[in-house]
Amino acid sequence: MIKLIHTIIALITALLLLNACSQEQSPVQASINSEDNIMNLNEIAEEYVKLTLKIGQHHSSYIDAYYGPKEWKPTGEAVDLLKLKANAANLLSAIKLTEVSHEQLQRKAFLQIQLQSVVVFIRQQLNEKISFKDESLGLYDAASPEINTDNLDIVLKQLSQLLPGEQPLNQRYNEFQKQFIIDPAKLDAVFQAAINEARQRTKHYISLPEQESFTIEYVNNKVWSGYNWYKGNSFSLIQLNTDFPIYIDRAIDLASHEGYPGHHVFNSQMEQHLVNNKGWVEYSVYPLFSPISLLAEGSANYGIQVVFNAEDRLAFEQEVLFPLAGLDASKAKKYYEILSLKEQLSYIDNLVAAQYLDGEINKEQAIKLLMKYSLVSDKKAKQRIGFIEANRAYVINYNLGQDLVHQYVDKLTGAGNDEARWKVFADLLANPKTASMMK
């Protein structure tokens, strides 16, 4: 009997110890479970920054920019992903319990949505199978609309009429494009002229820090055409990929998208208004695969038409850029007529990415679809597939992001003039919103 009693006591003790271990809490969880020690938004923001930096040890592209305290950068071995996932979940619980003033409601909403994306990204790194649509919603707070290729076929027919011939349409289009290639020897002069003009126009409407500046580099062997590496203190390194010929329209596109009023301005506005002026440290880190990227890419694409409306752009191209590039300015009007039509095909990237990543089509089929609907060469299509493989659902941020930003600005300005549009656009850059927050 005594032996039986000792056995029962030992079993009860073991169960109590097991229960205690299962309830062991991280510092974040312990904090949010204490009514006297609920985390405030600043504390959550700091933990969020440190968490994303630790996740960056598992994926070299996750942290696109960081200009916060150097001592927060992790050293040594990477923390286990399961522990990071638990920390992210705990921070989400904490932010839901955190009460904020009316002035900080938008800050809380944005940070909460960013944290939700952190959990989804970690799940991906743990090799959980997530559909393209769920990945889009989880990482970027938005999902691409359904794409009907019948509508794209109508655009192809219109382009075919403008570019008659017997060859496949993508070959005819690329042959037409050859007339507008910027001579590599003249590329820097053309790009410098485009970015300087975009900068002057942007400064007329957005107050930029006095020290803001950038450096331009021409690089090779990249899956992207241009990239802005924001370094902090309003300084950017802008890289242009010269693997493929660069056409004249790309001068303004890249100057505006990567520079003014695109990524360079967006990052410097966040640093100036939110990090420096308000002390909101969460904006000192930029996780690439997160909702902020939809706004970053969407505003950078939409910003092209904000800084250059169609009429202004055509005039500047004909008067300045075409002559600098040694191209025939009399062909500019038809060139942009065709480009405007081709722009209507942009959502094919989303369709191809979804079908390819979800396993509905193979790589060869994906390449053929891009060649048909993006009108690119086999080599260019393979580069685009490389981008999709590396960045997955990120492709939605360009076209869908642009459309959502455009709709948001139009909603607040109606038929407003350029000044009204600039005002709303500038406020969005300085006070970021995710896709669902812009509805």
Side-chain angles (χ1 to χ4, degrees):
M1 176 64 74
I2 294 174
K3 186 176 181 180
L4 177 61
I5 291 173
H6 281 300
T7 301
I8 293 172
I9 291 173
L11 285 171
I12 292 172
T13 302
L15 287 171
L16 288 172
L17 286 171
L18 180 62
N19 185 56
C21 289
S22 67
Q23 294 184 17
E24 184 179 346
Q25 300 170 332
S26 69
V28 173
Q29 188 65 48
S31 173
I32 65 174
N33 280 350
S34 169
E35 292 184 2
D36 297 327
N37 194 29
I38 291 178
M39 297 178 75
N40 63 44
L41 208 54
N42 287 334
E43 292 170 329
I44 294 171
E46 180 177 330
E47 292 298 323
Y48 159 80
V49 173
K50 293 176 179 177
L51 173 64
T52 57
L53 292 175
K54 290 174 184 175
I55 297 170
Q57 291 183 289
H58 292 271
H59 193 296
S60 60
S61 298
Y62 186 61
I63 301 301
D64 191 72
Y66 176 65
Y67 42 88
K70 291 181 180 179
E71 61 269 22
W72 289 2
K73 286 187 175 182
T75 57
E77 291 186 12
V79 178
D80 182 76
L81 280 169
L82 287 173
K83 290 183 179 179
L84 296 178
K85 183 182 177 183
N87 286 345
N90 291 339
L91 284 175
L92 266 174
S93 298
I95 200 169
K96 290 173 183 177
L97 294 174
T98 302
E99 295 184 1
V100 298
S101 64
H102 178 75
E103 290 73 22
Q104 293 210 17
L105 284 175
Q106 181 174 318
R107 180 193 182 193
K108 175 182 175 179
F110 193 93
L111 183 53
Q112 184 171 331
I113 294 171
Q114 286 286 121
L115 275 166
Q116 289 167 355
S117 82
V118 168
V119 175
V120 176
F121 184 77
I122 295 175
R123 288 173 53 202
Q124 281 191 312
Q125 303 316 297
L126 290 168
N127 296 318
E128 288 190 34
K129 183 67 176 177
I130 304 175
S131 70
F132 182 86
K133 182 177 181 180
D134 288 344
E135 177 184 335
S136 302
L137 285 168
L139 293 183
Y140 308 114
D141 193 35
S144 183
E146 295 293 326
I147 310 302
N148 186 340
T149 54
D150 289 344
N151 295 329
L152 302 185
D153 287 331
I154 294 173
V155 178
L156 292 183
K157 186 176 180 180
Q158 293 173 313
L159 283 167
S160 185
Q161 291 170 348
L162 289 172
L163 298 167
E166 299 300 322
Q167 293 179 311
L169 182 56
N170 71 321
Q171 292 183 28
R172 282 180 270 156
Y173 174 76
N174 284 287
E175 193 64 32
F176 171 78
Q177 284 272 86
K178 288 180 181 178
Q179 304 173 79
F180 305 97
I181 294 174
I182 303 173
D183 183 338
K186 299 176 180 179
L187 177 60
D188 189 59
V190 173
F191 187 73
Q192 292 282 0
I195 202 166
N196 288 336
E197 180 68 15
R199 183 173 184 266
Q200 291 306 313
R201 289 169 178 249
T202 299
K203 285 181 67 176
H204 183 72
Y205 294 99
I206 297 179
S207 176
L208 300 177
E210 288 186 10
Q211 78 277 13
E212 68 87 15
S213 62
F214 59 90
T215 296
I216 300 170
E217 288 183 355
Y218 300 93
V219 298
N220 298 100
N221 302 316
K222 305 296 181 183
V223 297
W224 36 258
S225 56
Y227 211 105
N228 178 296
W229 302 99
Y230 190 72
K231 303 299 184 180
N233 198 30
S234 297
F235 173 75
S236 290
L237 168 62
I238 297 175
Q239 293 183 326
L240 302 184
N241 184 7
T242 57
D243 285 345
F244 294 90
I246 296 179
Y247 302 100
I248 190 65
D249 63 292
R250 297 297 288 155
I252 280 182
D253 284 355
L254 291 169
S256 301
H257 183 101
E258 307 299 344
Y260 305 88
H263 293 320
H264 175 67
V265 173
F266 180 44
N267 281 287
S268 65
Q269 289 293 290
M270 287 193 296
E271 182 180 20
Q272 178 185 1
H273 292 282
L274 304 178
V275 179
N276 296 343
N277 293 352
K278 294 185 177 181
W280 293 0
V281 295
E282 65 268 32
Y283 290 98
S284 67
V285 68
Y286 178 2
L288 187 64
F289 306 106
S290 73
I292 200 169
S293 280
L294 183 131
L295 176 59
E297 301 294 0
S299 64
N301 268 359
Y302 176 65
I304 299 168
Q305 57 187 287
V306 175
V307 73
F308 288 97
N309 63 42
E311 184 179 343
D312 283 351
R313 175 169 182 161
L314 183 59
F316 182 71
E317 296 263 16
Q318 289 177 316
E319 294 169 11
V320 180
L321 297 188
F322 271 70
L324 268 178
L327 301 176
D328 186 351
S330 68
K331 296 179 179 180
K333 189 172 182 181
K334 182 178 181 181
Y335 182 57
Y336 282 102
E337 179 184 0
I338 288 175
L339 288 183
S340 179
L341 267 176
K342 185 178 179 292
E343 178 67 20
Q344 297 178 35
L345 301 170
S346 71
Y347 273 86
I348 190 61
D349 276 7
N350 303 21
L351 177 64
V352 169
Q355 292 183 346
Y356 178 54
L357 295 174
D358 285 345
E360 297 175 15
I361 59 175
N362 59 32
K363 181 179 288 190
E364 183 180 351
Q365 291 170 316
I367 289 170
K368 286 181 178 178
L369 278 173
L370 288 174
M371 290 174 67
K372 177 180 179 180
Y373 288 107
S374 288
L375 304 180
V376 293
S377 65
D378 175 78
K379 187 177 180 182
K380 187 69 174 177
K382 288 176 180 176
Q383 184 205 39
R384 193 59 181 164
I385 291 298
F387 182 91
I388 290 170
E389 290 173 337
N391 298 288
R392 299 182 57 83
Y394 194 92
V395 296
I396 75 165
N397 294 326
Y398 298 97
N399 43 40
L400 180 60
Q402 175 180 335
D403 289 345
L404 291 177
V405 171
H406 195 163
Q407 292 163 16
Y408 173 79
V409 174
D410 282 357
K411 179 176 67 175
L412 295 185
T413 60
N417 56 24
D418 283 350
E419 189 165 345
R421 185 163 60 158
W422 268 107
K423 184 177 181 180
V424 172
F425 182 70
D427 181 70
L428 184 60
L429 299 183
N431 298 282
K433 293 180 171 66
T434 72
S436 61
M437 294 168 67
M438 285 191 283
K439 291 181 179 178

